Amino acid sequence: MKGTIVLHPAMGRGHLVPMVELGKFIYTHHHQNLPIKILLPSPPNSTTLQYIAAVSATTPSITFHHLSPSQHLLHVLQTLISQSSKPKAFILDFFNHSAADVTRTLKIPTYYYFPNSASCVALFLYTPTIHYNTKKGFSSYSDTLRRIPGLPPLSPEDMPTSLLDRRSFESFAN
């Protein structure tokens, strides 16, 4: 049975493009005999469809599969396994972390990919420390700069809006 590498980006073109580039890199530099299948979590808009068409035309080793609302990841992967290709690896976007439960059930080696900038990674990794050292949300510290290792001092307007409110901030810290 032929193998494949499955990539699962989060919704949005900002997650799809880096995942496609990762797929191209893997195929070109490591596993030219393993095709790449990208599972799209939402219906693509017209701009994204043009991008997918361009990638498909220039890189036929990468194929795309849209997960419709009625399809579940488990069913798609079981179908993929039962047909012609067995997933050798599953690379999922950091924001699709719940997919790891499915891949664990199917015993598919799973890897996480965080397609954002290094500064975003630094902020998210340091978020629990900020959470435990402060009592209020970032918006309460309007005149205070936050010092995060590896980043310049940040004011509240530099922060992602989801971190300004203490209640949403807690979900990042846990």
Side-chain angles (χ1 to χ4, degrees):
M1 183 180 292
K2 189 174 183 179
T4 190
I5 295 177
V6 180
L7 305 178
H8 187 40
M11 290 184 1
R13 189 173 165 123
H15 293 266
L16 174 62
V17 172
M19 195 68 84
V20 167
E21 293 303 315
L22 175 64
K24 288 178 184 179
F25 181 83
I26 291 169
Y27 184 80
T28 303
H29 297 286
H30 298 289
H31 296 286
Q32 291 187 357
N33 58 338
L34 292 177
I36 307 291
K37 181 174 284 296
I38 297 179
L39 303 179
L40 301 172
S42 64
N45 61 32
S46 60
T47 306
T48 303
L49 282 173
Q50 292 173 349
Y51 173 73
I52 290 170
V55 170
S56 298
T58 58
T59 316
S61 60
I62 295 178
T63 58
F64 297 86
H65 178 83
H66 168 252
L67 294 170
S68 67
S70 63
Q71 280 184 315
H72 297 293
L73 183 61
L74 178 63
H75 173 71
V76 170
L77 290 175
Q78 286 173 328
T79 303
L80 190 64
I81 290 170
S82 67
Q83 291 177 350
S84 62
S85 61
K86 167 120 174 73
K88 298 293 183 191
F90 188 89
I91 301 171
L92 61 100
D93 190 292
F94 179 81
F95 293 106
N96 287 343
H97 59 86
S98 62
D101 295 335
V102 173
T103 58
R104 192 173 15 261
T105 300
L106 297 173
K107 295 181 173 61
I108 301 170
T110 303
Y111 305 91
Y112 290 87
Y113 180 60
F114 196 84
N116 297 72
S117 66
S119 60
C120 188
V121 173
L123 173 62
F124 284 158
L125 289 175
Y126 197 69
T127 297
T129 301
I130 296 170
H131 174 72
Y132 293 117
N133 292 334
T134 62
K135 300 293 181 213
K136 303 176 194 171
F138 281 111
S139 59
S140 301
Y141 296 99
S142 59
D143 59 346
T144 305
L145 295 177
R146 287 276 155 227
R147 304 220 180 269
I148 297 171
L151 298 178
L154 297 172
S155 68
E157 54 268 352
D158 295 326
M159 304 301 284
T161 54
S162 59
L163 292 181
L164 293 176
D165 180 3
R166 179 71 178 184
R167 290 167 296 184
S168 63
F169 182 72
E170 289 172 357
S171 66
F172 283 99
N174 294 326

